């Protein structure tokens, strides 16, 4: 799902780097459920709001009289900064931190410079869109943002606007493939999840044997190719060890649906391999190509790190009961089977 989150809702998740709710949106992104689209103006608005909030708290520090009183009462000397200096420092701080927030969302950033001002001013002159009814001049930022977003929604990939700003409602009705939800929890519900994430640590520890069994079952469909040796055949012999990390849990809205767990698995395997003996080969006298001499066989241990998803069956109370399915994002991997000793015939 392609998603735009309004500046006001981003601000409500907390100061950069954002609070628990913002972290759950990052979870949706990392799990591949949403792709975030934003604009450079949205980033500026978020940074501007945090800047203004903090400036209201510390602005008196920019007054010489305030600094003088502080020195007389507490014998404390503050740096000689004016209000403009303080505002600029806060602005730089929050712009950098807000950009990091959107980087964590892996957001695609659209620029309002790509929008012709005449498009927005035509709506203003005609009193339509964001300027219909009693709309004011402060609608210009939202109007430019909306023009950036309009082309992002397609039949194959509609754009969901997460906003509680009613001014977006009427213009959105006129554009195909744009959908509005009013909050981040509503976004989760639209995807079939709840924001609250159950703790599965004890469950996973108790299911270690079943986890091993399901990983071993998935291994039957894996194919391995050598990245360091030409024409090598690799066979998986056994699963030696596995470790799950970066775990993210999504609780279903409907208790009859599965709990979803995503994460990264580090899987250590014992493998056997066979490949032409290139190292002891020879140069063909006719076409000067390198020819192998016999076959090399061996055993080694490899480690594969790959994303996975797991469907967990809940009981009547919504608590995890059993692992229903475990699958890895990929099933073909290139691996190294020999140390890189620098020999050139790969």
């Amino acid at each position: 799902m392609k998603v735009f989150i309004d500046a006001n809702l981003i601000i409500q998740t907390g100061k950069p780097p954002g609070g628990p709710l913002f972290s759950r949106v990052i979870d949706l992104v990392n799990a591949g459920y949403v792709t975030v689209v934003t604009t450079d103006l949205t980033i500026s608005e978020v940074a501007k709001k945090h800047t203004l909030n903090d400036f209201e708290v510390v602005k008196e520090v920019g007054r010489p009289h305030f600094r003088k009183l502080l020195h007389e009462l507490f014998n404390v000397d503050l740096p000689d900064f004016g209000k403009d200096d303080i505002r600029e420092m806060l602005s730089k701080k929050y712009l950098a931190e807000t950009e990091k927030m959107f980087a964590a969302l892996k957001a695609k950033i659209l620029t309002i410079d790509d929008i012709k001002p005449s498009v927005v001013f035509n709506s203003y002159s005609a009193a339509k869109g964001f300027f219909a009814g009693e709309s004011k001049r402060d609608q210009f930022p939202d109007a430019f943002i909306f023009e950036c977003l309009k082309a992002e929604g397609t039949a194959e990939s509609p754009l969901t606007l997460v906003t509680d700003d009613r001014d977006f409602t009427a213009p959105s009705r006129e554009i195909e493939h744009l959908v509005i939800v009013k909050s981040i929890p509503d976004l989760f519900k639209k995807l079939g999840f709840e924001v609250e994430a159950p703790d599965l640590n004890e469950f996973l520890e108790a299911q270690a044997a079943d986890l091993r069994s399901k990983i071993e079952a998935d291994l039957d469909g894996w194919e391995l190719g050598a990245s360091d040796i030409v024409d090598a055949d690799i066979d998986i012999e056994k699963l030696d060890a596995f470790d799950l990390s970066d775990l993210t849990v999504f609780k279903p809205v409907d208790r009859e649906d599965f709990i979803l767990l995503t994460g990264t698995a580090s899987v250590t395997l014992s493998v056997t391999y066979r490949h032409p003996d290139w190292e002891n080969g020879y140069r063909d006298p006719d076409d000067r190509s390198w020819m192998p001499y016999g076959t090399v066989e061996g055993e080694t241990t490899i480690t594969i790190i790959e994303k996975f998803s797991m469907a967990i069956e809940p009981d009547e109370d919504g608590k995890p009961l059993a692992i229903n399915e475990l699958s890895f994002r990929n099933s073909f991997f290139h691996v190294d089977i020999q140390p890189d000793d620098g020999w050139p015939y790969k």
Side-chain angles (χ1 to χ4, degrees):
M1 177 189 293
K2 194 181 295 184
V3 172
F4 166 79
I5 305 176
D6 193 15
N8 288 335
L9 296 185
I10 292 288
I11 293 165
Q12 290 171 22
T13 66
K15 288 184 177 182
L21 189 58
F22 186 82
S23 296
R24 291 300 283 163
V25 179
I26 294 176
D27 290 339
L28 287 178
V29 171
N30 290 337
Y33 282 92
V34 301
T35 299
V36 175
V37 178
T38 193
T39 71
D40 52 358
L41 184 54
T42 304
I43 294 174
S44 296
E45 286 192 327
V46 173
K48 177 183 175 182
K49 181 61 175 178
H50 288 307
T51 296
L52 292 176
N53 288 344
D54 278 8
F55 181 73
E56 287 301 313
V57 175
V58 301
K59 64 182 180 181
E60 295 304 314
V61 175
R63 293 179 58 195
H65 182 61
F66 178 88
R67 295 195 299 272
K68 180 181 178 182
L69 284 175
L70 201 63
H71 174 76
E72 292 175 353
L73 293 173
F74 303 106
N75 197 29
V76 173
D77 291 317
L78 295 179
D80 186 12
F81 289 121
K83 289 187 177 182
D84 290 342
D85 298 321
I86 295 171
R87 187 184 290 106
E88 183 178 356
M89 286 188 290
L90 287 171
S91 179
K92 288 181 178 179
K93 163 185 163 64
Y94 279 116
L95 181 58
E97 292 180 352
T98 303
E99 288 174 345
K100 287 183 180 179
M101 285 182 71
F102 281 93
L105 292 175
K106 303 175 184 177
K108 175 183 178 182
I109 301 174
L110 309 177
T111 175
I112 63 167
D113 286 344
D114 292 337
I115 302 302
K116 293 182 178 180
S118 59
V119 173
V120 174
F121 278 98
N122 285 342
S123 295
Y124 175 74
S125 299
K128 64 181 183 179
F130 281 86
F131 305 100
E134 298 179 357
S135 296
K136 303 176 182 179
R137 289 178 297 173
D138 59 8
Q139 295 293 78
F140 275 100
D142 285 342
F144 273 97
I145 288 170
F146 189 74
E147 287 299 324
C148 282
L149 297 173
K150 281 166 56 174
E152 286 295 310
T154 65
E156 296 75 21
S157 181
L159 177 64
T160 298
L161 307 183
V162 186
T163 178
D164 58 359
D165 187 345
R166 289 179 296 178
D167 291 325
F168 277 90
T169 303
S172 296
R173 290 197 193 105
E174 302 173 5
I175 307 300
E176 279 191 298
H177 317 309
L178 289 185
V179 180
I180 289 182
V181 297
K182 294 184 178 180
S183 69
I184 292 175
D186 286 344
L187 173 64
F188 273 79
K189 289 180 182 178
K190 184 176 177 63
L191 291 165
F193 304 124
E194 292 184 2
V195 171
E196 178 188 358
D199 187 351
L200 297 185
N201 289 329
E202 290 186 7
F203 170 78
L204 292 175
E205 290 177 5
Q207 298 293 319
D210 192 28
L211 273 171
R212 171 177 282 273
S213 175
K214 283 186 165 51
I215 292 175
E216 288 175 335
D218 199 83
L219 292 179
D220 287 340
W222 285 19
E223 295 182 45
L224 305 181
S227 57
D228 56 350
I229 303 292
V230 175
D231 295 334
D233 294 321
I234 308 173
D235 294 320
I236 298 173
E237 294 299 311
K238 67 185 180 74
L239 170 65
D240 293 327
F242 66 91
D243 180 66
L244 307 183
S245 61
D246 303 326
L247 302 181
T248 301
V249 187
F250 297 97
K251 182 179 179 181
V253 173
D254 190 335
R255 286 187 176 181
E256 295 181 357
D257 290 338
F258 292 119
I259 299 168
L260 176 66
L261 173 70
T262 66
T264 302
S266 175
V267 181
T268 302
L269 305 170
S270 289
V271 301
T272 59
Y273 60 86
R274 299 167 304 283
H275 64 78
D277 186 357
W278 298 106
E279 188 171 8
N280 296 309
Y282 60 94
R283 187 78 66 183
D284 186 291
D286 294 326
D287 61 10
R288 305 297 295 167
S289 62
W290 194 260
M291 303 297 293
Y293 185 81
T295 302
V296 175
E297 298 184 358
E299 301 177 356
T300 191
T301 300
I302 62 171
T303 298
I304 294 173
I305 299 175
E306 182 58 31
K307 300 287 186 182
F308 75 90
S309 61
M310 186 188 307
I312 300 172
E313 181 182 350
D315 62 16
E316 293 181 356
D317 297 323
K319 297 181 179 179
L321 178 64
I323 299 173
N324 180 268
E325 181 183 3
L326 183 147
S327 60
F328 289 83
R329 184 169 298 181
N330 295 305
S331 59
F332 180 80
F333 306 95
H334 280 97
V335 298
D336 291 339
I337 58 175
Q338 288 188 353
D340 187 2
D341 56 8
W343 66 282
Y345 310 112
K346 297 181 181 180

